[in-house]
Amino acid sequence: MKKFNLSLVTGALLASSAAFAQVTAITNATVHTMTDKGVLKDATVLIEDGKIIAINPSSVSADVTIDAQDKILTPGFIGSMNQVGLVEVGAVSRSNDGYDKKASAMFDASTAFNPRSSLIPYARKGGLTQNVVVPRGGESIFSGLSFVTDLSGDFESVTATETALIVRLGAKSSGSRAVSLKQLVDKLEGQQKKLAKKDKKEDKKDEPSKEEQVLTKVLKGELPVITKVSRASDILELLKVKKQFGLNLVLWNAEDAPLVKAQISESKTPVILSAVSNLPSDFDSLHASLETAGELEKAGVKVLLAVGSDSSHNVYQLRFDAGIAVANGMSHDGALKAVTSNVADVFGLDAGKVAKGQRADLVLWSADPFEFSTSIESMWINGEKVNTNDSRQDKLRDRYNTPSDMPRAYTK
């Protein structure tokens, strides 16, 4: 009797299953594509192998069909400027990996990311499928390098590293802001000179340090520089630095941005802000307003919305903040772009749009995603349907609302 090679049979079966990957069809959806195709009514979206393979195909052949019943389908929202996965309890230092006293331009905290953090299922409940994580840094003006994760909870959740250099400028609790700005300029000038020498074939045998590699990417415009500033005069100084070195500059916070919106728009500099920042936290942010996002949009500035400053535990409320921006002058389409395609464009992500070939990060909503009463019907991350009802809050609700003979405060 002939013996079969089990490993070969298993391999063949796996290859066969890969060749016939499941196709999911979402039909009769109102699709906000975030592309020049705008909003598509009664549309069909096909998903296979984690990608969108077709929109409104002439014929549909699918393994799974979901009738959206005219409900709204959007790209998954993208969070940013937080430490989700790096922090569990902010006040407990042993659960906080986003800060280090010695952090510098080379600080990459992605290896400390915890995909099983309790903050991730809660973020999914707000429609977030990806997130840009930024370290809090240390004593240097450089906080470190951002990285991107999906919010599936899988151990391979980090999808991109070194996606931007984070720089904190502006007011200081000790010392002058002028010194911080000069440190940035000196670093850039120093690396510029090193590159010029290298072009002349001097020091060609020297291996560049990690910091030099980062600064070289910055000077080539390959790596965005996210600068945390608020005051209008600081913004104008940074726009000069952008022009001097050809930086891919992004402003973060920028409460005073409406005062210099024409200059920001002319320089094509994106702005990341909190839509609900309407009270000054210091003398740099006296012009904080609920109308800032709308004002900047009307001025032609690319706006990205993030939830507060370092609000890792509240990224769930990003959609509500976007709704507040709409209520205070921002267009609905502009607010959707500010939490999807604009974020993807700035950080170079395969996300933020519903288009053929795009990664299938999608959310089907019961109604307008910016309305408080709206809920998520279904969510897909990289083409896989994920649970949006498994957060710590859901589990606590179920635990204490389920009749039991156990004491109310049982622990096991």
Side-chain angles (χ1 to χ4, degrees):
M1 189 175 182
K2 231 177 185 181
K3 290 186 178 180
F4 289 98
N5 187 321
L6 185 60
S7 63
L8 288 176
V9 173
T10 303
L13 288 172
L14 287 173
S16 175
S17 65
F20 297 99
Q22 178 175 284
V23 176
T24 299
I26 307 167
T27 63
N28 302 315
T30 299
V31 182
H32 291 255
T33 66
M34 300 297 100
T35 69
D36 55 10
K37 292 185 178 180
V39 180
L40 305 177
K41 296 286 289 183
D42 300 319
T44 295
V45 177
L46 292 186
I47 304 170
E48 184 180 19
D49 278 340
K51 297 285 185 181
I52 297 170
I53 60 170
I55 298 175
N56 285 337
S58 56
S59 61
V60 177
S61 177
D63 302 293
V64 177
T65 300
I66 296 170
D67 185 356
Q69 300 177 340
D70 291 327
K71 291 172 183 173
I72 293 174
L73 185 73
T74 70
F77 291 177
I78 308 170
S80 62
M81 318 319 289
N82 57 66
Q83 288 86 50
V84 170
L86 293 183
V87 61
E88 200 64 35
V89 181
V92 178
S93 59
R94 289 179 64 85
S95 74
N96 193 333
D97 291 301
Y99 172 87
D100 194 282
K101 187 177 180 180
K102 296 179 181 179
S104 64
M106 302 92 76
F107 182 35
D108 176 9
S110 62
T111 54
F113 177 74
N114 176 21
R116 299 303 170 92
S117 167
S118 66
L119 276 61
I120 289 173
Y122 186 56
R124 284 201 300 264
K125 292 178 72 67
L128 279 78
T129 57
Q130 290 200 47
N131 187 49
V132 180
V133 185
V134 299
R136 288 178 50 235
E139 295 179 341
S140 168
I141 60 168
F142 298 113
S143 295
L145 298 161
S146 66
F147 61 95
V148 180
T149 74
D150 69 36
L151 296 178
S152 63
D154 295 338
F155 284 113
E156 301 300 321
S157 295
V158 176
T159 57
T161 59
E162 300 184 12
T163 56
L165 175 63
I166 313 301
V167 184
R168 293 175 186 259
L169 301 173
K172 300 172 65 175
S173 57
S174 176
S176 169
R177 73 185 71 214
V179 172
S180 297
L181 183 63
K182 188 174 186 304
Q183 286 175 347
L184 174 62
V185 172
D186 287 347
K187 282 284 186 182
L188 294 173
E189 284 183 341
Q191 185 59 23
Q192 206 173 49
K193 290 175 182 177
K194 288 179 182 178
L195 291 174
K197 284 183 179 180
K198 191 174 181 181
D199 288 342
K200 293 177 181 177
K201 298 185 178 180
E202 296 177 25
D203 304 319
K204 59 183 179 180
K205 293 181 181 179
D206 291 345
E207 186 69 28
S209 67
K210 178 63 178 177
E211 181 180 271
E212 289 172 341
Q213 292 174 38
V214 169
L215 293 175
T216 296
K217 288 183 179 179
V218 165
L219 289 168
K220 289 181 177 180
E222 298 171 357
L223 189 68
V225 180
I226 315 293
T227 52
K228 190 173 185 181
V229 293
S230 297
R231 204 167 74 178
S233 58
D234 290 336
I235 292 171
L236 292 177
E237 288 298 326
L238 277 167
L239 294 183
K240 294 176 186 176
V241 174
K242 172 182 180 172
K243 186 175 181 180
Q244 179 182 352
F245 295 101
L247 304 183
N248 181 0
L249 180 70
V250 183
L251 301 172
W252 176 22
N253 269 25
E255 284 94 344
D256 262 6
L259 300 181
V260 289
K261 59 189 176 185
Q263 293 93 322
I264 296 172
S265 178
E266 184 182 358
S267 67
K268 301 187 185 305
T269 303
V271 174
I272 306 173
L273 57 86
S274 166
V276 297
S277 178
N278 68 326
L279 292 173
S281 57
D282 54 28
F283 287 106
D284 277 19
S285 54
L286 294 176
H287 294 88
S289 169
L290 295 176
E291 298 174 352
T292 296
E295 278 194 59
L296 294 182
E297 181 197 12
K298 290 180 178 68
V301 176
K302 178 173 283 190
V303 177
L304 289 69
L305 294 180
V307 179
S309 179
D310 305 328
S311 296
S312 306
H313 295 78
N314 291 314
V315 291
Y316 160 84
Q317 70 186 38
L318 180 62
R319 70 185 183 100
F320 303 135
D321 287 9
I324 291 170
V326 174
N328 287 276
M330 195 175 199
S331 71
H332 192 280
D333 186 60
L336 263 178
K337 287 180 178 177
V339 295
T340 56
S341 59
N342 285 358
V343 189
D345 289 345
V346 166
F347 290 97
L349 311 183
D350 179 15
K353 301 178 181 71
V354 183
K356 183 178 178 180
Q358 191 78 37
R359 176 183 163 111
D361 287 354
L362 302 167
V363 183
L364 183 64
W365 304 89
S366 63
D368 184 343
F370 298 155
E371 290 290 342
F372 191 81
S373 58
T374 296
S375 60
I376 294 175
E377 301 275 317
S378 297
M379 173 185 281
W380 296 263
I381 296 179
N382 200 26
E384 295 291 327
K385 198 168 183 180
V386 295
N387 193 349
T388 58
N389 295 304
D390 61 344
S391 71
R392 182 172 181 270
Q393 289 80 354
D394 291 313
K395 292 173 182 176
L396 286 171
R397 176 203 61 205
D398 294 343
R399 170 176 165 177
Y400 289 110
N401 282 338
T402 302
S404 172
D405 294 331
M406 297 292 287
R408 292 295 292 172
Y410 69 92
T411 59
K412 293 183 180 180

